[in-house]
Amino acid sequence: MVLGVKMFRKLVIGVAACVALAGCGNNDKPADGAKAPAGAQISGAGATFPAPLYAKWAEAQKAETGFALNYQAIGSGGGIKQIKAKTVAFGATDKPLKPEELEADGLVQFPTVIGGVVPIINLPGVTGGQIKLTGSQLADIYLGAITKWNDPKLAAGNPGVALPNLPITVVHRSDGSGTSFLFTSYLSAVAPQWAKVGANDAVKWPTGLGGKGNDGVAAYVKQTAGAIGYVEYAFAKQNQMAHVALQNSAGQFVEPTAQSFAAAAANADWSKAPGFYLLLINEPGAASWPITGATFILMHKTQADPAVGKSVLGFFDWAYAKGDAAADELAYVPLPADLKARVRASWSAIVGADAKPVFTPAAP
Amino acid sequence: MTAAADPGAMAASRPRSARGGGLDRLFEAMCFAAATLLLTALGGIVVSLMIGGWPAFAHFGFGFFISSEWDPVQEIYGAAGAVTGTLVTATLALALSLPLALGVAIFLVELCPPVLRRPIGTAVELLAGIPSIVYGMWGLFVFAPWFAKTVQMPIMMSAQPGTVWETITTGVPNGAGILSASIILAIMILPFMAATLRELLLSIPPQVRESAYGLGSTTFEVIRKVSLPYIRTGAIGAVMLGLGRALGETMAVTFIIGNAHGFPTSIFASGSTIASTIANEFAEATGVLHTASLTALGLVLFIITFAVLALARILIGRQANL
């Protein structure tokens, strides 16, 4: 009789285990977000950098129109894979795809918001913006060619600043990241000596140590006197990290502010960028911050379900029209008005099976 | 089981016994299904890792295992740096935590006053329940600064220039590196090893210990000459289980190891492990070779862990046959 009870319990556990296993098995099926009917949840996946803003936009729009967005911040690489596999209605990436790559997969791409990369430092007695660096000096530091803060090369550009005799600890991102991609693209563009490392979301760093995520880099920089690292602008601003002033293509030393990012975006020539493939690296203009970049949305040119495409574009149309304040608040930089108009015009290329555009933006 | 004292349970069990045979068969079938499903999943993982990693093996050949080059821009990948980092941190962690785990287990079983036995036992088990990301954050924000100031700096400053000791203790004085990762790992595997060792010590029949005491042995002699030899092979199994966990630990290590590819040359140098490399780069890997190399790394880790666990099984099995 005692055995009976034991047996029963084992049975219950056995059943529970089977159910749990069966439940796990179901996860193998891809999420069917791309086939969601209009008005239902729309799913997107990709870059982590704009995720807080997309969440905020979605929240505001849900209150207004009932639109529900399920955005998974799985990283840009994941976003590209997911949209190619058609498991999501849109992908998001910090690293734009080249026009030929878009063409090969039948994708279109457009920017949503602008961010940038800010070098941060931890030097005793030195406050934000006091240290001025050129792109070439930054490359030499990250190559391990300049190893001390009182190196004559750095001292020459910073008269009046007491540079300490401290070794420079280089900190970079350990995880593959759009931030690293922008940073290394900038170094490649301005410093010929960086060519041996190259530009990518993960590279073979010649020196230094890697922190995971913006917070990992920031933690190493904060904990090490003499450290230099780089983080997203929004992260640097919210955590009030001491930044450096960088020299831009006009020869001016600029500080990372919303204005200097907006200047870079405004001075960029988007008309000569098919598929909006443009990194805002070293853009002209005396006020432009040199390491700026937009974050992008990827969609299929031909929408299997026009209603889904319409919902997605409607979401970003709303964001362009009413989302700038939310972007400012979270330390992102909204797109300039003429670029928004250009993007809206490009949406006519996104069509349903009947070759008609799925969404026509209202005249502004 | 005290269920016999419960009249409800007795009443309920009576009608069931009539069709107990049918239930038995159903239960057996379900257990069999559960077990085979698990095996299938395991086999599926191995096969998909092999398929996913094949482009890397095909492209780099045996060089994949001996090269420590890891360059996502040039698309050149080698597993040696990550494999070395994995083995070094896991071994160091084991060396650090084994004496502690033995001490905890011996104290709890042989020496501990009964009042303290439960609180200490619970505390050790609680350590096992802390999520690894918490260890990582604690390691990065609390442990690393403290370690840099009180351990790393004095050691680095005491090293004589030009000595071997100086070579293996150079590094960035901020508390991140191979040794820090090993210490965090040691704390993480400690509860598993301590709990297993305690169970092993408890499994010694009282007569064995009592006979030793009866012959006039001191407590230390009993532990050294009777208890520890008695559980020796089982203890090796416990160590292997701890090692297996240390090999695969991901988040905590990623936070604290410094994440530099290549061979670590000093205990304070940044390094990487297989698991940390995959965690860092998999989400953003878009190139075929990059993804394949990370998958291949996963297969290498699988093989290393499997070898360790298989060794543990063999050793534990041998003790059971004694």
Side-chain angles (χ1 to χ4, degrees):
Chain A
M1 274 176 275
V2 174
L3 223 155
V5 174
K6 263 189 183 169
M7 193 71 204
F8 179 67
R9 286 198 181 165
K10 280 186 184 168
L11 190 67
V12 169
I13 293 169
V15 170
C18 290
V19 169
L21 282 169
C24 293
N26 278 345
N27 289 353
D28 297 348
K29 290 180 191 162
D32 246 352
K35 292 192 188 82
Q41 205 173 40
I42 296 294
S43 65
T48 47
F49 158 68
L53 182 61
Y54 292 169
K56 187 136 190 165
W57 280 347
E59 191 192 330
Q61 216 187 131
K62 188 169 190 183
E64 215 177 287
T65 63
F67 172 88
L69 172 72
N70 170 20
Y71 183 73
Q72 313 246 342
I74 54 173
S76 298
I80 294 169
K81 280 179 203 159
Q82 296 290 320
I83 188 68
K84 282 184 180 171
K86 299 194 180 181
T87 54
V88 289
F90 68 89
T93 176
D94 291 338
K95 183 179 168 181
L97 294 185
K98 294 210 167 83
E100 51 271 25
E101 204 174 339
L102 290 171
E103 197 59 47
D105 286 286
L107 294 171
V108 285
Q109 167 174 271
F110 58 89
T112 55
V113 72
I114 288 168
V117 180
V118 176
I120 53 170
I121 51 168
N122 174 2
L123 269 183
V126 173
T127 55
Q130 265 191 336
I131 300 274
K132 296 190 176 92
L133 290 179
T134 66
S136 179
Q137 286 168 346
L138 195 60
D140 278 342
I141 290 174
Y142 269 83
L143 283 170
I146 296 179
T147 56
K148 290 258 186 164
W149 280 106
N150 63 352
D151 189 290
K153 278 189 205 163
L154 298 186
N158 290 284
V161 183
L163 287 166
N165 180 18
L166 255 181
I168 300 178
T169 300
V170 169
V171 185
H172 53 78
R173 286 283 288 266
S174 66
D175 46 339
S177 153
T179 310
S180 292
F181 172 69
L182 266 187
F183 186 72
T184 51
S185 297
Y186 167 69
L187 294 181
S188 302
V190 298
Q193 67 268 38
W194 190 258
K196 61 183 170 192
V197 180
N200 202 348
D201 42 24
V203 300
K204 190 188 173 201
W205 296 99
T207 182
L209 71 167
K212 183 157 171 55
N214 283 303
D215 44 354
V217 170
Y220 282 147
V221 172
K222 275 183 189 162
Q223 287 163 16
T224 316
I228 184 167
Y230 61 91
V231 293
E232 275 160 12
Y233 166 63
F235 189 88
K237 189 180 171 191
Q238 279 153 8
N239 292 279
Q240 296 173 345
M241 314 283 302
H243 56 262
V244 302
L246 270 183
Q247 191 182 38
N248 64 18
S249 63
Q252 300 292 317
F253 288 92
V254 284
E255 306 228 2
T257 59
Q259 288 76 29
S260 59
F261 288 103
N267 290 325
D269 187 0
W270 292 90
S271 65
K272 293 197 186 74
F276 296 103
Y277 180 81
L278 187 60
L279 305 172
L280 305 179
I281 296 294
N282 227 17
E283 290 297 336
S288 299
W289 178 255
I291 324 176
T292 309
T295 183
F296 297 86
I297 295 296
L298 294 169
M299 286 176 74
H300 283 280
K301 206 176 265 179
T302 310
Q303 295 284 314
D305 182 353
V308 172
K310 191 180 174 203
S311 304
V312 175
L313 292 177
F315 172 71
F316 288 108
D317 186 54
W318 179 96
Y320 282 171
K322 301 183 185 173
D324 287 2
D328 278 333
E329 201 178 305
L330 293 173
Y332 297 88
V333 181
L335 301 183
D338 60 329
L339 177 55
K340 282 180 183 170
R342 201 179 287 280
V343 171
R344 279 192 173 108
S346 78
W347 287 344
S348 61
I350 300 174
V351 295
D354 56 357
K356 282 188 188 146
V358 295
F359 178 82
T360 314
Chain B
M1 183 134 296
T2 53
D6 178 4
M10 284 168 74
S13 67
R14 206 164 288 141
R16 202 186 303 129
S17 58
R19 50 191 165 92
L23 262 184
D24 248 16
R25 272 196 293 280
L26 180 67
F27 178 65
E28 263 175 39
M30 283 195 315
C31 287
F32 178 75
T36 44
L37 191 67
L38 206 66
L39 264 184
T40 318
L42 191 73
I45 289 170
V46 175
V47 170
S48 51
L49 280 178
M50 280 178 177
I51 295 172
W54 181 248
F57 293 129
H59 189 270
F60 299 111
F62 189 69
F64 183 73
F65 300 98
I66 48 172
S67 158
S68 70
E69 183 87 2
W70 191 272
D71 187 340
V73 180
Q74 310 284 337
E75 296 252 347
I76 300 170
Y77 304 100
V83 170
T84 313
T86 306
L87 294 176
V88 168
T89 50
T91 314
L92 270 178
L94 198 64
L96 291 167
S97 76
L98 182 59
L100 268 175
L102 259 181
V104 170
I106 290 172
F107 180 75
L108 282 176
V109 175
E110 312 266 352
L111 309 165
C112 187
V115 192
L116 277 179
R117 190 165 295 168
R118 185 159 287 213
I120 295 181
T122 314
V124 170
E125 279 156 20
L126 263 181
L127 266 182
I130 298 177
S132 104
I133 184 95
V134 174
Y135 278 108
M137 311 260 271
W138 177 79
L140 178 58
F141 292 109
V142 181
F143 176 77
W146 173 86
F147 182 77
K149 211 167 84 189
T150 52
V151 180
Q152 197 178 353
M153 284 304 271
I155 290 180
M156 282 172 68
M157 287 197 286
S158 71
Q160 295 300 317
T163 57
V164 179
W165 183 243
E166 198 224 358
T167 316
I168 64 164
T169 59
T170 52
V172 179
N174 68 353
I178 296 282
L179 185 60
S180 306
S182 306
I183 293 173
I184 296 287
L185 272 180
I187 301 172
M188 295 181 73
I189 63 173
L190 173 68
F192 292 92
M193 301 210 308
T196 320
L197 289 171
R198 186 185 62 177
E199 293 306 315
L200 282 168
L201 284 173
L202 284 173
S203 73
I204 300 174
Q207 298 92 314
V208 174
R209 216 177 267 127
E210 279 158 17
S211 331
Y213 280 118
L215 289 169
S217 305
T218 63
T219 312
F220 182 66
E221 282 168 343
V222 172
I223 293 168
R224 202 169 64 95
K225 301 237 170 92
V226 179
S227 295
L228 289 186
Y230 196 91
I231 64 161
R232 193 193 299 137
T233 35
I236 295 173
V239 167
M240 292 296 178
L241 288 177
L243 189 62
R245 186 171 155 80
L247 287 169
E249 179 45 49
T250 308
M251 245 22 232
V253 174
T254 308
F255 268 74
I256 193 86
I257 198 165
N259 299 304
H261 296 298
F263 287 111
T265 50
S266 121
I267 54 172
F268 295 132
S270 300
S272 66
T273 68
I274 294 176
S276 75
T277 304
I278 296 173
N280 271 323
E281 296 187 8
F282 198 79
E284 297 290 332
T286 39
V288 174
L289 264 183
H290 198 180
T291 315
S293 299
L294 290 169
T295 315
L297 269 187
L299 185 65
V300 172
L301 179 61
F302 193 94
I303 293 167
I304 294 175
T305 313
F306 183 77
V308 166
L309 291 182
L311 201 58
R313 276 285 128 216
I314 292 166
L315 292 169
I316 290 171
R318 192 183 294 162
Q319 197 204 22
N321 293 339
L322 281 177

